Amino acid sequence: MTNDILMVRIYLSETNHGKRKTLMQEILTLLQERHAVQGVTVFRGIAGFGASGEVRADDILRLSVDLPLVIEFFDEPKVAEAAIALLDDLIPGGHIVSWPARRYGTTALPMRQA
């Protein structure tokens, strides 16, 4: 297994919707079931703004919140790029970024299903 990986970050908001579920759920399902990438984390921001300049922030007085989400995953470059190609049609333009990285330490073997 190579130590060279590709880190991928996707910028969304909680209200982005996919075809059947939230866009975040569709992305997670796709990354887990179709690409089996090595790791995925979803970060929920407490505040942020996009190209519109509208600030969205966590506020105890608001009942409906549209906070920023960041989905980050990594894998070998070939696998990560294949996942990006599949995600490209789902995600708003310019909301996927990637960069090469290096994995350090020993890599745990994936758990086997019985």
Side-chain angles (χ1 to χ4, degrees):
M1 180 174 286
T2 179
N3 286 330
D4 293 325
I5 60 170
L6 187 66
M7 294 293 304
V8 181
R9 189 174 286 170
I10 303 166
Y11 294 92
L12 302 172
S13 69
E14 290 178 314
T15 59
N16 288 132
H17 288 283
K19 295 177 183 173
R20 295 181 205 121
K21 351 176 191 181
T22 68
L23 190 52
M24 179 196 73
Q25 290 169 322
E26 284 194 14
I27 291 168
L28 288 175
T29 299
L30 189 141
L31 291 174
Q32 182 182 31
E33 293 176 1
R34 293 193 52 195
H35 277 284
V37 296
Q38 293 183 22
V40 178
T41 302
V42 177
F43 300 95
R44 182 176 187 229
I46 59 169
F49 66 89
S52 71
E54 179 184 349
V55 175
R56 293 182 168 95
D58 192 5
D59 184 345
I60 198 160
L61 300 175
R62 292 185 198 179
L63 294 176
S64 94
V65 180
D66 180 18
L67 294 175
L69 296 175
V70 174
I71 300 175
E72 191 169 274
F73 70 91
F74 68 91
D75 209 313
E76 295 175 14
K78 190 175 187 178
V79 174
E81 288 176 10
I84 290 170
L86 196 59
L87 292 169
D88 199 36
D89 291 338
L90 294 174
I91 299 168
H95 289 221
I96 302 174
V97 297
S98 67
W99 62 94
R102 187 162 202 74
R103 177 186 7 226
Y104 293 94
T106 58
T107 305
L109 294 175
M111 293 180 59
R112 293 186 178 176
Q113 295 180 349

